[in-house]
Amino acid sequence: QTQNIHLLSGVQSTPQIPHSTDRIHSVELPLSDTTTSMESETKFVADCTNSIQIPPGSTGSALPCTVLTLSKGGQSLWKDQLPGTSCSAIAASKSWLVVGTSDGCVQIYGTSPSLGWASASAFRSHPPFVFGRPIVALYLRECSFSRSSGAQNERSTELLVVTSDGKFAVYLLEPNMKVQYKGSVMPAMTHMLLSADLETDLYLPKLARIQMTETNRLLLLLSLEPASQTENGRRVANHAPSLGAGGSLQGFVYDLSSELWMRVADSRFVLSDFYNVLPSSSLKVASASKKSLDPPGGELSKMDDSVRMGANSSTLRRSRRGRSILGSSSDAYTQTVTTTTGAHYDDYNDVASRSHCEDRMACALALGSAAEFEYWFSMYVKTLAITGNETMLRMVVDMLMAKTSGVGDSSATTGTSTTNSTTASCWWLSESPLVLKFDRVKLIRNVIIPEMSKNRSLQRVTNEISIEVNALTPEQ
């Protein structure tokens, strides 16, 4: 017994994500496609109620107990009991209901294969799976997969489980529960904590949201608030809290190939002229084909919108006197400097804007978002053209024209082809004629040259690039 107590005390010394202690956990049950219109208008809800009680039929003392209830339109129709524990997370899909408990178990329930949750019934489909730490978050996503190449896709459900020690795993529930991949959210949490201006590091950021997307990516949103101060036992809010350059909200995406988190959204670019012009429902994007497109509205812009409020607590604060390179587009092009060294761009704050565009382009490529890459590529070229940065513009053109000094020539000599999926993040080394879905030459012709032509100081290099492009392919 003494050894057991020592073991548990040692485990608790490691960082822990607090699990939910709410009394009631609820989730709306999604109905199957065969549900009638009358049933679809009725809400089916699963509730887990935590309490300390003596279970019916027991003569022992009171203990923690969870009661799981399925209700239709507020009327309870089915009930189950989990004695000796408390519910800390709950999730549901059209076929499954999953309950996570404070003692580190996951209980999975199935339902009618024909009626779905419209039957208002469930059954324990699996033995309790033991994770050894309190369950912090659960997420279910219906997906399709193929058992072999060329085989017809089959429907299944993925389950994401996060425990209080920061570990996560994604499982395929059908036909048998099988792990897909696993990792930990602790690197992202400690990164956010290490970059914050805090006097203490005794607590971790909050796990605001973690979920799988339709494109099979794992998104993580973390929240960090400054510790409150107390005076005479009363809580006093901090004045002008600062949480470092990243702000109080930061978004991450898990990369399966490297098994590392990628930071894709935070407040480090508040000094950029484009920070308040992020792709959203209020914007229209002009594409390389000169047609008006709907806003990208992809994963990257959604993450940007999610963390935008965190900029209020960022250490970075843009000066109200700071000049914007986009202040007046006509004036900016005529008043731009003619040097190509970048030494006199500070007044226009183009370094932050240029870095912001490069970061967004890299993240859009990593997420495979063509529309968002197009948007930020256009903003990137606009920044370089307004500031007259001839050196960088020439480098971008060379990358698009695949002038890699022989780095990528091996694929041409060996006869192997370089696909978009494997070279998207290193597109400048690829000899593929496309970047995502965009033709390289058309990007030069329809985006770069029109922007450069607006700056008279770039007239010579613009003419040179136009001649090179016209020599490659006839103008379309």
Side-chain angles (χ1 to χ4, degrees):
Q1 184 177 3
T2 304
Q3 291 179 347
N4 290 339
I5 294 175
H6 177 71
L7 174 63
L8 290 175
S9 63
V11 170
Q12 292 300 322
S13 63
T14 60
Q16 298 288 310
I17 304 174
H19 61 277
S20 174
T21 57
D22 294 343
R23 182 174 178 269
I24 299 177
H25 295 261
S26 298
V27 62
E28 185 172 349
L29 301 173
L31 301 179
S32 62
D33 299 332
T34 59
T35 305
T36 64
S37 58
M38 183 176 297
E39 290 175 334
S40 62
E41 296 175 356
T42 305
K43 277 191 176 183
F44 292 80
V45 179
D47 294 305
C48 270
T49 304
N50 297 325
S51 63
I52 298 179
Q53 59 173 300
I54 300 176
S58 173
T59 58
S61 58
L63 75 167
C65 188
T66 292
V67 177
L68 173 61
T69 304
L70 301 188
S71 59
K72 173 184 178 182
Q75 181 183 2
S76 177
L77 299 177
W78 180 91
K79 184 180 295 185
D80 190 20
Q81 194 172 54
L82 302 175
T85 188
S86 299
C87 172
S88 56
I90 189 171
S93 68
K94 293 181 179 179
S95 305
W96 302 98
L97 175 64
V98 183
V99 176
T101 59
S102 59
D103 60 1
C105 285
V106 167
Q107 182 70 60
I108 303 177
Y109 293 86
T111 188
S112 168
S114 57
L115 299 178
W117 296 115
S119 65
S121 300
F123 66 96
R124 299 194 182 202
S125 58
H126 298 70
F129 288 100
V130 179
F131 289 81
R133 293 291 185 275
I135 307 302
V136 173
L138 295 171
Y139 189 86
L140 284 170
R141 183 180 77 93
E142 293 184 345
C143 61
S144 59
F145 72 99
S146 177
R147 297 182 185 275
S148 60
S149 59
Q152 186 176 4
N153 287 344
E154 300 182 25
R155 298 294 298 175
S156 184
T157 305
E158 286 182 330
L159 168 65
L160 166 67
V161 181
V162 184
T163 53
S164 63
D165 57 357
K167 294 180 180 179
F168 73 83
V170 176
Y171 301 88
L172 199 64
L173 289 182
E174 303 150 354
N176 299 306
M177 188 161 173
K178 181 181 179 180
V179 65
Q180 297 289 89
Y181 59 92
K182 57 176 62 177
S184 173
V185 300
M186 281 300 175
M189 286 188 161
T190 52
H191 158 72
M192 187 175 180
L193 189 61
L194 290 171
S195 63
D197 298 334
L198 297 176
E199 297 180 357
T200 176
D201 58 355
L202 298 180
Y203 66 97
L204 290 170
K206 293 181 180 179
L207 198 157
R209 187 173 78 226
I210 184 169
Q211 68 181 61
M212 295 174 289
T213 69
E214 294 300 324
T215 56
N216 198 31
R217 301 184 189 279
L218 187 60
L219 301 183
L220 173 65
L221 183 64
L222 298 180
S223 171
L224 182 63
E225 298 295 337
S228 60
Q229 301 174 344
T230 57
E231 294 180 1
N232 299 326
R234 294 183 179 181
R235 184 175 177 179
V236 180
N238 284 351
H239 295 285
S242 175
L243 295 174
S248 61
L249 292 170
Q250 297 185 27
F252 304 84
V253 171
Y254 192 70
D255 181 59
L256 293 178
S257 299
S258 63
E259 297 184 351
L260 295 172
W261 288 101
M262 301 182 295
R263 191 184 67 227
V264 297
D266 62 359
S267 302
R268 283 174 170 82
F269 295 103
V270 295
L271 303 183
S272 166
D273 293 322
F274 300 107
Y275 188 80
N276 292 325
V277 198
L278 297 173
S280 64
S281 58
S282 60
L283 294 175
K284 292 291 181 181
V285 182
S287 71
S289 60
K290 301 295 185 179
K291 296 179 181 178
S292 177
L293 294 179
D294 291 333
E299 295 175 2
L300 185 60
S301 58
K302 290 178 181 177
M303 290 290 282
D304 280 330
D305 291 337
S306 297
V307 306
R308 189 178 303 178
M309 293 299 297
N312 295 331
S313 56
S314 173
T315 305
L316 296 173
R317 302 295 173 92
R318 180 160 185 165
S319 172
R320 295 183 179 181
R321 297 181 179 180
R323 298 178 63 187
S324 169
I325 60 174
L326 304 175
S328 174
S329 57
S330 59
D331 292 340
Y333 281 116
T334 56
Q335 297 176 8
T336 184
V337 292
T338 58
T339 179
T340 60
T341 63
H344 303 292
Y345 296 159
D346 293 342
D347 289 343
Y348 291 95
N349 197 39
D350 79 308
V351 174
S353 300
R354 187 187 69 227
S355 300
H356 187 202
C357 293
E358 290 176 351
D359 179 80
R360 297 297 83 191
M361 288 165 57
C363 291
L365 284 166
L367 297 177
S369 177
E372 289 170 314
F373 171 80
E374 179 187 22
Y375 176 87
W376 287 108
F377 179 79
S378 300
M379 297 301 102
Y380 182 57
V381 172
K382 181 186 289 292
T383 300
L384 298 180
I386 290 177
T387 56
N389 197 329
E390 179 181 330
T391 302
M392 290 297 298
L393 285 166
R394 169 56 76 177
M395 187 183 75
V396 173
V397 171
D398 288 348
M399 291 191 298
L400 287 173
M401 297 177 71
K403 294 184 179 180
T404 58
S405 302
V407 174
D409 289 344
S410 59
S411 63
T413 57
T414 60
T416 59
S417 61
T418 307
T419 61
N420 248 0
S421 59
T422 58
T423 60
S425 60
C426 295
W427 57 273
W428 61 91
L429 300 180
S430 170
E431 293 189 350
S432 169
L434 302 177
V435 180
L436 294 179
K437 67 177 183 179
F438 302 109
D439 182 89
R440 291 171 179 261
V441 177
K442 286 186 177 180
L443 284 175
I444 299 175
R445 190 191 306 278
N446 298 333
V447 178
I448 296 181
I449 293 178
E451 288 293 341
M452 292 180 65
S453 63
K454 298 175 184 178
N455 189 338
R456 291 194 298 269
S457 67
L458 298 174
Q459 183 176 355
R460 177 186 58 81
V461 69
T462 303
N463 292 335
E464 293 176 358
I465 294 173
S466 298
I467 294 173
E468 293 181 23
V469 172
N470 292 333
L472 289 176
T473 58
E475 188 169 355
Q476 300 177 357

